[in-house]
Amino acid sequence: MSDQTTTAAPSPAEPPAEPSVFTRIIAGQIPGRFAWADEVCVAFATIEPQTPGHVLVVPREQVESYIDADDATIAHLAVVARRIAATQVRVFKAVRPGIAVVGMDVAHLHIHVLPLHEAADIAPSRARQADGAALDQAMELLRAGLREDGWGAFVPAQMGSPALA
């Protein structure tokens, strides 16, 4: 048996019947608080953060799950998640970054990236509805930190838009 690396994703049975909530956020049909935007993906605040600064890294293309995405997309999402995580650890004074791919609630690939202060922070049961002011404060802190870390070209000019500069 040969060890082959594939770059193509498995073919989905059919395209999604309707846009996911994440596709609608990216399209501006639902408000979002964006910390990152590039040609492949965006990162925005979850409305139920487990810790302040918790974001979702989401491909612009609606791909249902981790195993449906092509290798290049997965690699890109991983790099963006690492960059955001490094900034989160610094600006939220976290012990470690938390990264999780779950995808049970929304059929659109997304990576949870959150600053961890203790191991229990990664538990989904820690998620709590956050008010707008708290989300705004956490996202502005993260956005400023990403600029300080040299990623300003990927921080959208307006927090409410994933538009590229």
Side-chain angles (χ1 to χ4, degrees), residues 34-37 140 143 147 152-165:
F34 295 87
W36 184 281
E140 286 300 352
R143 289 162 53 85
R147 286 186 200 101
F154 301 105
V155 177
Q158 298 177 21
M159 184 168 53
S161 172
L164 302 174

Side-chain angles (χ1 to χ4, degrees), residues 105-116:
D105 294 332
V106 178
H108 187 147
L109 170 60
H110 55 287
I111 300 175
H112 292 259
V113 184
L114 60 154
L116 301 178

Side-chain angles (χ1 to χ4, degrees), residues 3-19:
D3 180 30
Q4 297 179 343
T5 302
T6 181
T7 57
S11 298
E14 57 189 63
E18 60 184 58

Side-chain angles (χ1 to χ4, degrees), residues 52-148:
H54 182 170
V55 298
L56 305 175
V57 177
V58 182
R60 288 179 180 269
E61 178 184 353
Q62 186 170 324
V63 176
E64 186 170 335
S65 75
Y66 186 82
I67 62 172
D68 295 325
D70 62 54
D71 291 354
T73 299
I74 294 299
H76 185 82
L77 297 177
V79 169
V80 170
R82 184 187 53 75
R83 289 173 179 173
I84 291 170
T87 298
Q88 286 174 330
V89 167
R90 182 176 62 79
V91 301
F92 294 103
K93 299 176 180 26
V95 176
R96 294 266 190 270
I99 309 287
V101 178
V102 184
M104 300 301 288
D105 294 332
V106 178
H108 187 147
L109 170 60
H110 55 287
I111 300 175
H112 292 259
V113 184
L114 60 154
L116 301 178
H117 301 281
E118 59 185 19
D121 286 343
I122 197 72
S125 61
R126 288 280 178 111
R128 298 288 181 263
Q129 188 77 29
D131 67 46
L135 289 174
D136 288 346
Q137 182 179 17
M139 286 305 97
E140 286 300 352
L141 185 60
L142 179 57
R143 289 162 53 85
L146 287 166
R147 286 186 200 101
E148 290 168 3

